[in-house]
Amino acid sequence: QVQLVESGGGLVQAGGSLRLSCAASGSFFSINAMGWYRQASGNQRELVASTTSGGSTIYADSVKGRFTISRDGAANTVYLQMNSLKPEDTSVYFCDADIRAGPGRLYNRYWGQGTQVTVSS
């Protein structure tokens, strides 16, 4: 079974930094895109950043210039470096990955359990 496990969340003051990690484990053939979403209480889950195996990246406008997504393909791990954190960044952050078990066209989407990020004023 495929699992995505996030780590690195915590409590930080405004202006501080955190680095989130997400590692994929289990039996699978390949991973295409990996990314990060966040969902604050009462809100929809929104894309924060994503990256493909080829290195293309996408960022939400609200985090551009502050967050950086990176990926270690050999380790099946994606990172999110979060700098200049703001209280409005407070949320549960979820790892997301498109994974296929074997050669073929379709990928299955997997989610991690989420890691809490709290930014104090």
Side-chain angles (χ1 to χ4, degrees), residues 44-56:
Q44 292 183 316
R45 187 170 297 186
E46 63 176 354
L47 174 69
V48 178
S50 67
T51 183
T52 68
S53 60
S56 298

Side-chain angles (χ1 to χ4, degrees), residues 1-75:
Q1 296 182 0
V2 177
Q3 291 186 332
L4 301 177
V5 180
E6 304 101 331
S7 62
L11 174 64
V12 66
Q13 293 183 341
S17 298
L18 287 172
R19 182 172 179 261
L20 305 183
S21 300
C22 172
S25 63
S27 298
F28 50 85
F29 179 73
S30 63
I31 301 174
N32 185 22
M34 299 187 76
W36 293 93
Y37 287 70
R38 65 187 182 188
Q39 186 170 18
S41 180
N43 294 339
Q44 292 183 316
R45 187 170 297 186
E46 63 176 354
L47 174 69
V48 178
S50 67
T51 183
T52 68
S53 60
S56 298
T57 58
I58 298 172
Y59 294 94
D61 289 341
S62 60
V63 306
K64 287 180 179 177
R66 300 188 297 120
F67 291 10
T68 302
I69 189 169
S70 61
R71 183 174 172 179
D72 183 343

Side-chain angles (χ1 to χ4, degrees), residues 73-86:
N76 298 314
T77 301
V78 65
Y79 304 93
L80 186 67
Q81 179 66 46
M82 304 185 294
N83 298 326
S84 301
L85 283 162
K86 304 175 181 179

